[in-house]
Amino acid sequence: MSKNLVIVESPAKAKTIENYLGKDYIVKSSYGHVRDLPKSGLAIDIENDFAPNYEVSADKKKLVSELIKLAKAAEVVWLATDEDREGEAISWHLFETLKLSHEKTRRIVFSEITKNAILKAIENPRSVDVNLVNAQQARRVLDRLVGFELSPVLWKKVKPKLSAGRVQSVAVRIIVEREREISSFEPKASFRIVAIFSIEGKEMKAELPKRFATEEEANSFLEDCRRSSFAIRQLETKPAKKKPSPPFTTSTLQQEASRKLGFSVSQTMVVAQRLYESGKITYMRTDSVNLSDYAQNAAQEAIEQQFGKDYAQRRSFSSKSKGAQEAHEAIRPTELSVSEVSGERNEQRLYDLIWKRTIASQMADAQLEKTTVTIDITEREEQLVAKGEVIKFEGFLKVYLESTDDENEEETTKGMLPPLKEGQSLNLQNLTATERFSHHPPRYTEASLVKRLEELGIGRPSTYAPTISTIQKREYVVKEDREGQKRDYRVLELKDGQLEKRTEAENTGAERGKLFPTDIGIVVNDFLVDNFENILDYNFTATVEEEFDNIARGQVEWNDMIRRFYGDFHKDVEDTIETSERATGERDLGTHPESGKPVIARIGRYGPMVQIGASDDEEKQFASLLSDQSITSITLEEALDLFKLPRQLGEFEGKVVSAAIGRFGPYIRHDGKFVSIKEADGDDPYTISLDRAVEMIQAKREQEAKSLIKSWDEEPDIRVIEGRYGPYIKAGKKNVKIPKDKEAETLTLEEVRELVANAPDKPRRSRKK
């Protein structure tokens, strides 16, 4: 048996480390936390100073037994989990669960999985940092308290099966508030003036610094220009510099991978984790922009070899984010001499991005020359301005330039201007006044939401990706593309002395990969803001993060922090349950043209819906909204259309065929069976014909026949079916797994009945504490 047992949290990390250590070391993975708060129940003893009741999950019991056996046989146990608070907590849970002794246990940390880093860590062990553990424990306990107490309030006051969380609810609020800004925004039109001058066969573009509010003003300007001559009043050339961006933090990596590679926030973290665990980059959860002396020296060497000494410039950066832990390093390649790595395509692309950003951060400034040309107009006081930019020395631009999220950035002229001199007369080629419209604030992408959370001090590197995944999983927010709308705009063009006016069209408002609040997200947000102002307050949430930081530094006792929070919070929960009204987001759309009853849009038990009749009307009718409709914007006419369903299309095989919309979208119903109507196929429940419905019914039957492995005449409700993830048994509405030691094709009816009888029923979620 090996003298040394090393425990890490992932098998990929274990495999990499095992390659660096000799035969005296065995490396094992804990596969994350070996114990945690149980998934059901509060599991926090409020009366006993908020003591958490941790348990080893059922799927980890065998692993824990194995680790206990290996730990007893080893002379030294090395806890080598990640260096952040979560990693420290995993090590502490291992120490407690495996009943390790301080004498034979060593805690080691490293920011990169390289042989030197691992051996150096072994030479410098420490004990588990209880302050870091307590900071993670405080977050875990606080978030469990908030979720456990708030969620039942939402079940009672809004809709069953909802959830709330301390950070996720604030993230939803940011998106809801931005959507309301957009809804209330009124675009203002103005006319942008652009002139094109012809100079010795080359074109020079110039622009009027101001815009005209009306077409009349723009027309007057062009009429005056028709009678004008143009000459260069002033020619100004200035040197300028561009500096490189700092190396990546978690947040900036997520943002740039989104802009440059099209990665989601969670995808970035999954790929980065693989690169880290295979020893290619440093730890990927960090808010520091520091580089070690080793990294800076290695960068200088790589730059000088590839680009020459003039391109190298050693730099240090300081973080602007709240609560940044400067002792850690930025995300960088472990070997800066390696510019490409083998592996999966996305790993190569992300590594390339990290390498370029790190190298660029240690390169010289780009040297530019900016030229500004001021042009007189004889019949007007205004002056046109042309700008040019020439790169005199590339510096870091040879490798990398950071992208931006500014969607509304106007196109500007860059590049070399033709030879010019002051007083030079210019030949006008054409002059246009184009109607432009002010833009509403941009909707958030995943990456720009991370940036906003970081600016507000909400969350930390380890929480950004889970927060954004959770709000989408809970269906409070959706990420989607939306088509734009056609918009007309006016163009006035002066060319060859003739002034032409025309109307052109453009597509505006198209969105790609943006975050939109759902109806339920808006209603839940408004309810929480009204009743739990503190929890949803940006400053409060940021202050809580600072308290976690203080606990990590040993300046605050975690139980005291929880106690201060819980008293007022628990009272708010009790008051809200007693006194607050139900939240439905109810909106009055008008009255029914025939019955005169009110028509209302609101959130119902199964989601967004419209209702004909008041709440006390015994004959009120309901209809679910379509996927692209919202209770905030649906019109009376659109609402009334929903009540045209279900539609009877006719009969097939002596049974009625109808079209309707249910909880999961539009469908055809026939003989107690359902077929989904896919809008992507051009089908619509309001217009679908009987022939088309029959075609879909028969297509589904053929598909089911192909997937049917076995059935029995005496038990028509029991079938063995080939599913998406392999064969399974369908017994009425119950789906039952087939054990691995059984062949689906050879199952007898008796065996199937036994498997169905012994299969557990799907547990229902309890709403009680």
Side-chain angles (χ1 to χ4, degrees):
M1 188 60 70
S2 295
K3 295 177 183 176
N4 297 276
L5 171 65
V6 181
I7 306 176
V8 298
E9 63 273 79
S10 84
K13 187 174 171 182
K15 187 178 178 183
T16 306
I17 291 174
E18 202 161 36
N19 292 333
Y20 299 139
L21 299 174
K23 57 181 173 54
D24 288 338
Y25 291 83
I26 182 171
V27 186
K28 289 289 179 180
S29 168
S30 69
Y31 294 86
H33 281 277
V34 291
R35 68 173 190 174
D36 198 356
L37 296 175
K39 288 182 180 177
S40 59
L42 178 58
I44 293 164
D45 190 345
I46 294 169
E47 303 303 321
N48 188 22
D49 230 4
F50 301 94
N53 300 318
Y54 296 114
E55 66 174 29
V56 176
S57 58
D59 62 329
K60 290 290 177 75
K61 285 182 178 176
K62 186 179 177 184
L63 172 67
V64 166
S65 298
E66 182 192 349
L67 291 176
I68 288 172
K69 189 177 175 183
L70 291 169
K72 281 180 180 174
E75 292 177 15
V76 181
V77 177
W78 303 84
L79 301 176
T81 52
D82 291 341
E83 61 177 338
D84 58 7
R85 294 169 195 171
E86 202 69 31
E88 204 70 24
I90 291 172
S91 278
W92 177 73
H93 282 298
L94 284 165
F95 183 88
E96 296 286 316
T97 308
L98 307 184
K99 297 181 172 58
L100 302 176
S101 67
H102 289 284
E103 294 74 31
K104 66 181 288 185
T105 306
R106 309 283 186 273
R107 169 76 172 120
I108 55 172
V109 293
F110 35 84
S111 62
E112 58 186 68
I113 305 175
T114 59
K115 187 169 186 177
N116 286 343
I118 303 301
L119 296 178
K120 188 176 178 183
I122 285 173
E123 288 169 12
N124 297 279
R126 60 171 173 80
S127 57
V128 171
D129 188 331
V130 178
N131 292 327
L132 290 180
V133 173
N134 285 340
Q136 187 274 347
Q137 193 161 237
R139 182 188 292 279
R140 191 80 182 86
V141 168
L142 185 64
D143 288 349
R144 172 58 66 93
L145 287 168
V146 170
F148 192 83
E149 298 215 359
L150 272 190
S151 297
V153 178
L154 295 180
W155 303 344
K156 191 171 183 180
K157 299 295 183 179
V158 184
K159 178 178 171 287
K161 298 183 179 179
L162 296 177
S163 77
R166 185 180 54 83
V167 177
Q168 77 177 52
S169 298
V170 176
V172 173
R173 181 181 183 179
I174 291 170
I175 293 164
V176 170
E177 289 185 347
R178 175 55 56 87
E179 196 65 28
R180 288 199 166 124
E181 282 181 69
I182 293 167
S183 297
S184 61
F185 181 83
E186 292 187 11
K188 291 183 179 175
S190 61
F191 284 79
R192 179 186 178 209
I193 307 295
V194 175
I196 304 292
F197 294 99
S198 178
I199 304 169
E200 297 177 1
K202 292 184 179 179
E203 288 185 352
M204 180 177 76
K205 180 177 169 184
E207 191 168 337
L208 193 70
K210 75 169 194 177
R211 295 193 179 194
F212 294 113
T214 65
E215 184 173 340
E216 289 72 25
E217 290 176 290
N219 185 68
S220 174
F221 178 80
L222 264 66
E223 286 288 2
D224 288 342
C225 286
R226 179 151 57 173
R227 302 190 302 273
S228 295
S229 56
F230 304 86
I232 295 174
R233 171 72 168 264
Q234 188 179 26
L235 198 59
E236 186 180 21
T237 301
K238 285 183 179 177
K241 285 182 186 177
K242 255 195 176 88
K243 292 183 179 293
S245 302
F248 281 130
T249 61
T250 303
S251 162
T252 54
L253 177 64
Q254 289 167 343
Q255 291 166 51
E256 276 291 84
S258 172
R259 297 174 191 135
K260 281 185 158 63
L261 307 178
F263 286 7
S264 68
V265 166
S266 57
Q267 183 184 7
T268 300
M269 295 314 291
V270 167
V271 177
Q273 178 112 16
R274 290 205 296 263
L275 289 172
Y276 166 68
E277 289 177 346
S278 59
K280 291 166 184 165
I281 64 168
T282 55
Y283 192 51
M284 66 286 156
R285 293 187 187 95
T286 178
D287 44 20
S288 170
V289 289
N290 284 346
L291 289 179
S292 64
D293 286 342
Y294 162 77
Q296 287 183 320
N297 292 335
Q300 296 301 293
E301 193 176 318
I303 293 163
E304 287 178 16
Q305 279 183 1
Q306 289 197 43
F307 308 110
K309 283 192 175 183
D310 290 345
Y311 282 87
Q313 184 177 331
R314 192 183 178 99
R315 297 174 189 270
S316 295
F317 298 89
S318 58
S319 178
K320 294 176 184 175
S321 72
K322 298 179 182 181
Q325 300 169 58
E326 296 293 351
H328 295 162
E329 258 199 282
I331 302 167
R332 63 166 175 82
T334 53
E335 294 296 333
L336 283 155
S337 58
V338 179
S339 59
E340 295 178 358
V341 293
S342 58
E344 190 262 330
R345 172 71 177 140
N346 282 341
E347 289 177 29
Q348 293 176 343
R349 294 170 72 205
L350 192 65
Y351 181 88
D352 179 66
L353 193 70
I354 294 166
W355 184 84
K356 285 177 176 174
R357 176 81 164 222
T358 308
I359 287 290
S361 76
Q362 299 301 303
M363 291 179 75
D365 295 343
Q367 304 294 333
L368 313 172
E369 186 177 84
K370 292 191 174 184
T371 303
T372 303
V373 184
T374 308
I375 301 165
D376 278 342
I377 308 165
T378 54
E379 299 296 320
R380 298 286 297 203
E381 291 181 359
E382 297 96 339
Q383 294 172 321
L384 293 164
V385 175
K387 291 185 177 180
E389 183 178 286
V390 179
I391 298 173
K392 306 295 277 186
F393 173 68
E394 284 180 299
F396 75 93
L397 291 178
K398 198 168 185 71
V399 174
Y400 185 87
L401 178 62
E402 184 176 35
S403 302
T404 72
D405 288 315
D406 189 357
E407 301 167 1
N408 304 326
E409 203 171 21
E410 292 284 6
E411 183 188 345
T412 56
T413 304
K414 286 187 180 178
M416 194 179 293
L417 295 170
L420 301 166
K421 59 177 186 274
E422 289 183 359
Q424 180 178 345
S425 293
L426 298 175
N427 176 36
L428 179 67
Q429 191 170 310
N430 73 326
L431 183 67
T432 56
T434 307
E435 188 178 21
R436 297 290 78 200
F437 299 88
S438 55
H439 297 272
H440 61 65
R443 287 184 173 89
Y444 287 102
T445 60
E446 287 189 355
S448 61
L449 180 59
V450 167
K451 185 178 182 182
R452 184 65 181 141
L453 289 169
E454 187 179 41
E455 287 169 353
L456 292 168
I458 295 167
R460 287 295 179 261
S462 60
T463 65
Y464 299 139
T467 297
I468 288 170
S469 295
T470 298
I471 62 177
Q472 292 178 67
K473 223 175 276 176
R474 300 291 184 198
E475 296 183 356
Y476 293 153
V477 168
V478 291
K479 181 172 83 169
E480 60 188 28
D481 300 343
R482 292 195 181 173
E483 297 302 316
Q485 294 177 323
K486 183 185 171 186
R487 177 172 68 189
D488 291 338
Y489 65 97
R490 295 284 289 157
V491 178
L492 286 65
E493 184 176 22
L494 175 62
K495 189 173 183 180
D496 299 329
Q498 300 299 311
L499 182 55
E500 180 198 351
K501 300 176 185 178
R502 60 183 182 271
T503 299
E504 295 188 0
E506 64 184 351
N507 190 48
T508 183
E511 301 282 20
R512 296 287 175 265
K514 294 298 179 65
L515 299 175
F516 296 84
T518 61
D519 283 340
I520 194 68
I522 292 169
V523 172
V524 167
N525 172 75
D526 292 349
F527 178 81
L528 292 175
V529 170
D530 288 343
N531 294 283
F532 297 93
E533 193 178 351
N534 238 8
I535 296 289
L536 273 287
D537 181 76
Y538 299 145
N539 290 329
F540 171 79
T541 311
T543 301
V544 169
E545 293 294 344
E546 288 168 13
E547 292 230 45
F548 291 150
D549 294 342
N550 291 335
I551 293 167
R553 288 188 281 266
Q555 297 167 351
V556 175
E557 289 292 328
W558 77 269
N559 319 67
D560 294 341
M561 179 254 177
I562 300 291
R563 192 180 301 107
R564 287 196 306 274
F565 164 83
Y566 184 72
D568 291 340
F569 168 67
H570 184 65
K571 186 175 182 304
D572 285 346
V573 169
E574 292 182 323
D575 290 347
T576 301
I577 289 174
E578 286 297 317
T579 62
S580 73
E581 298 291 322
R582 277 189 64 83
T584 63
E586 188 171 300
R587 185 170 151 254
D588 187 4
L589 303 181
T591 55
H592 193 282
E594 294 168 14
S595 67
K597 291 182 178 182
V599 181
I600 298 158
R602 66 180 181 88
I603 295 293
R605 182 179 181 84
Y606 300 116
M609 54 170 279
V610 286
Q611 171 183 319
I612 298 175
S615 57
D616 57 356
D617 185 344
E618 290 184 5
E619 296 181 353
K620 55 183 176 286
Q621 296 171 271
F622 306 100
S624 296
L625 268 60
L626 299 175
S627 59
D628 60 348
Q629 291 176 328
S630 166
I631 62 173
T632 62
S633 58
I634 191 170
T635 64
L636 176 63
E637 291 72 23
E638 290 167 340
L640 294 175
D641 279 346
L642 295 172
F643 290 94
K644 293 176 181 175
L645 300 176
R647 282 175 61 224
Q648 285 202 10
L649 308 181
E651 288 192 2
F652 173 56
E653 298 176 345
K655 301 283 173 66
V656 171
V657 179
S658 60
I661 296 175
R663 285 176 65 190
F664 306 109
Y667 63 88
I668 297 292
R669 180 170 185 169
H670 173 255
D671 194 18
K673 294 187 173 63
F674 301 87
V675 182
S676 293
I677 296 175
K678 294 185 173 63
E679 293 172 29
D681 295 339
D683 294 316
D684 183 313
Y686 296 102
T687 58
I688 194 166
S689 67
L690 177 62
D691 288 346
R692 173 62 179 146
V694 169
E695 185 185 323
M696 290 167 64
I697 291 165
Q698 291 175 327
K700 186 172 183 185
R701 284 179 182 174
E702 286 175 22
Q703 185 186 349
E704 287 179 344
K706 286 177 185 173
S707 64
L708 182 67
I709 297 172
K710 240 181 170 186
S711 64
W712 294 267
D713 292 339
E714 60 267 44
E715 285 277 12
D717 281 348
I718 295 181
R719 290 167 293 157
V720 180
I721 291 171
E722 182 65 52
R724 189 175 172 187
Y725 303 108
Y728 69 96
I729 299 163
K730 187 164 186 67
K733 292 184 177 179
K734 192 173 184 178
N735 295 337
V736 180
K737 284 183 179 178
I738 296 173
K740 289 181 180 177
D741 60 346
K742 302 275 187 186
E743 289 288 335
E745 292 80 2
T746 61
L747 282 171
T748 65
L749 180 57
E750 288 67 31
E751 286 176 314
V752 169
R753 282 173 174 160
E754 187 180 344
L755 289 169
V756 171
N758 293 332
D761 290 320
K762 193 174 180 182
R764 293 182 66 184
R765 188 185 294 178
S766 171
R767 296 192 201 172
K768 295 181 180 180
K769 291 187 183 179

